Amino acid sequence: RASARGQRASGADNETLKCDPRAVNLQGPSGKPQPSPGCSVGGAGGRVSEGAGGTYGGPYKYRDIVVKEPDDIGGSITRQYVVLEPASLEGPLPVFFWFHGQGGNAINEAEKFAKDTGLMACAEANGFLMVLPTGLNDHLNKTVTAYGPMVEQGVPSDNGSKDLGTGWNVGTAGDEKTCITKEDKKGNLILARRTSYSCYASCVKLKQCGRCNWSTCHDDVGFVTALLAKLAQEYCLDMSRVYVGGDSNGGMLTHYLSQEMPSTFAAFLPIFGLPLLGYSDGQFGQLVRNSEQLTESAFITFHDRQDNIIPVDGGAATAVGWAWYYTPIDDMAQTWAAIHACNKVPGPLDVTFPAPDDWSCVEYPSCSSKKVVKCLYDGYHGSVVKQGVEGNTAFWFFNQFRRESAAR
């Protein structure tokens, strides 16, 4: 759930990253585009409303969308996001959603992580519309648009009212099996501490509080659904080329969207983000139930080997105050390999980009349609690899795939 940043140098602070030519393909993958409704507004290229968004490199402009809340919360809430537009709006345009980690926001993400990894540079070079939403912080002493202030003192407990910042709802609120709720001195858990938890206002309203809570219970799936529909009206989009990714808690949301929106995205890219243990397939086995729809979606993931907040091998985090249990990355890769009928034994990726020696990627061969790729590197939670290898690898991957049907 974390967004704490690692100590490894980004390698991008003092240089302007450029997308490797091998990761640029303005024609996109083979197949037929699926134009959005916006393509019929004002001509073939479509038009957007005045002041729609900032260009790549800033200045970044927030845009708002009013999202109707589910009946059990009621009302509506104003959500924020940033749009980065390519040089040309002649469409249909591919779209890349990117979600920040816990405690972050869209502007900071655009100015740091999405920039330093080369994701923004490659999105711009490939003519993508890049969309960075901001998560909610409806901590108990904050006013929330949906229904105003809640109780000021929080849930009666020793630390249940702690403000843990903005974040994303990944469907685990109220489940007390997902974290360490008492000292555990067995094996590799000797460094683990009790979870610093918080039941946010929306979770109080929904009666979904628990000692493993750490974020909002607002409907982020509904937010993403409404936002894509709005963008599809305002821009001329290719609805067969909608891609999604995120880091840390944003990576967890990426996994959750694969479970909840299986007919929407052409590829998923979680970076050092894994589902909580017990939620690898969703609360009700959605990843398995929706496997047929997901055969149209490719999967690629990056993770640091020394992560002690969201461990690459799963299990309990050992960082103080971050004691949640996670699904191993290999379990997620094998699940996606099964969805695509790939060989269960991975082999080296056939394309590599300039990167430190510790960066290595494997793919699961002989898949029926899409690819499944896993890349690992030395570093800690939040580490950025030098030379923009994340952006290069991600967009080389994206440019191979579209959905055969439009996102829905």
Side-chain angles (χ1 to χ4, degrees):
R1 68 166 179 86
S3 64
R5 297 302 188 200
Q7 301 301 311
R8 178 176 181 162
S10 72
D13 292 337
N14 298 313
E15 61 182 274
T16 300
L17 290 174
K18 294 183 179 180
C19 195
D20 190 295
R22 293 173 296 164
V24 178
N25 180 359
L26 293 173
Q27 301 303 313
S30 61
K32 184 179 179 180
Q34 300 286 338
S36 73
C39 296
S40 62
V41 179
R47 295 292 182 268
V48 296
S49 58
E50 184 178 354
T55 59
Y56 283 88
Y60 310 116
K61 298 178 182 178
Y62 265 120
R63 298 180 68 190
D64 294 341
I65 179 173
V66 178
V67 180
K68 185 180 183 301
E69 291 282 83
D71 291 341
D72 44 8
I73 288 184
S76 60
I77 185 168
T78 300
R79 302 294 301 262
Q80 287 80 38
Y81 61 101
V82 165
V83 175
L84 303 180
E85 297 172 348
S88 172
L89 292 178
E90 292 297 316
L93 301 173
V95 191
F96 179 38
F97 283 86
W98 182 257
F99 296 96
H100 63 75
Q102 183 79 9
N105 62 64
I107 297 292
N108 289 345
E109 194 75 3
E111 292 179 344
K112 191 62 179 173
F113 188 82
K115 179 180 179 181
D116 290 350
T117 54
L119 289 167
M120 281 174 53
C122 282
E124 180 179 23
N126 282 281
F128 274 62
L129 187 77
M130 188 168 179
V131 184
L132 297 94
T134 290
L136 284 175
N137 178 4
D138 58 318
H139 179 247
L140 290 160
N141 62 6
K142 288 182 166 57
T143 299
V144 181
T145 307
Y147 43 74
M150 296 295 291
V151 294
E152 295 184 357
Q153 301 303 316
V155 180
S157 65
D158 55 351
N159 68 345
S161 59
K162 185 174 181 178
D163 186 351
L164 297 175
T166 57
W168 305 104
N169 177 4
V170 296
T172 62
D175 188 343
E176 297 195 342
K177 300 187 294 297
T178 61
C179 70
I180 298 172
T181 55
K182 61 182 179 180
E183 296 285 347
D184 190 334
K185 299 298 185 181
K186 296 180 180 179
N188 69 331
L189 302 184
I190 192 169
L191 297 178
R193 299 291 184 267
R194 282 183 62 181
T195 301
S196 296
Y197 67 97
S198 183
C199 193
Y200 278 26
S202 51
C203 302
V204 172
K205 190 176 184 73
L206 293 172
K207 297 181 172 58
Q208 292 180 0
C209 291
R211 295 180 67 88
C212 299
N213 279 42
W214 46 269
S215 193
T216 184
C217 286
H218 280 283
D219 182 9
D220 284 320
V221 173
F223 170 39
V224 175
T225 302
L227 178 53
L228 177 57
K230 181 175 188 284
L231 294 168
Q233 293 284 344
E234 293 181 337
Y235 291 89
C236 177
L237 303 182
D238 183 350
M239 301 303 285
S240 70
R241 298 191 65 199
V242 183
Y243 307 87
V244 63
D247 61 288
S248 193
N249 182 213
M252 297 171 70
L253 179 64
T254 302
H255 285 287
Y256 188 54
L257 293 176
S258 74
Q259 301 163 5
E260 297 294 320
M261 300 175 67
S263 300
T264 302
F265 301 102
F268 296 93
L269 170 64
I271 299 183
F272 48 83
L274 291 164
L276 292 178
L277 199 61
Y279 288 84
S280 60
D281 298 330
Q283 185 177 6
F284 304 106
Q286 294 97 312
L287 210 61
V288 176
R289 293 176 185 272
N290 300 323
S291 59
E292 183 175 351
Q293 296 101 301
L294 290 168
T295 58
E296 294 194 38
S297 304
F299 180 82
I300 183 169
T301 184
F302 309 150
H303 211 109
D304 50 292
R305 295 186 181 93
Q306 288 78 34
D307 203 318
N308 67 349
I309 291 179
I310 301 182
V312 67
D313 293 325
T318 55
V320 174
W322 304 86
W324 275 256
Y325 297 106
Y326 294 92
T327 302
I329 193 172
D330 284 345
D331 286 9
M332 296 311 304
Q334 287 288 356
T335 297
W336 278 95
I339 288 172
H340 292 297
C342 310
N343 191 312
K344 64 182 179 181
V345 180
L349 189 65
D350 58 359
V351 173
T352 58
F353 295 93
D357 291 341
D358 55 81
W359 171 271
S360 64
C361 298
V362 296
E363 66 174 315
Y364 292 78
S366 305
C367 300
S368 58
S369 55
K370 312 300 183 183
K371 286 187 177 182
V372 178
V373 171
K374 175 187 72 175
C375 300
L376 302 179
Y377 53 95
D378 289 345
Y380 298 93
H381 195 79
S383 293
V384 174
V385 185
K386 294 181 180 180
Q387 299 171 275
V389 66
E390 299 101 316
N392 288 328
T393 304
F395 279 84
W396 163 83
F397 188 80
F398 292 164
N399 284 330
Q400 298 176 64
F401 306 111
R402 70 167 76 242
R403 292 186 64 85
E404 284 71 33
S405 54
R408 60 185 190 275

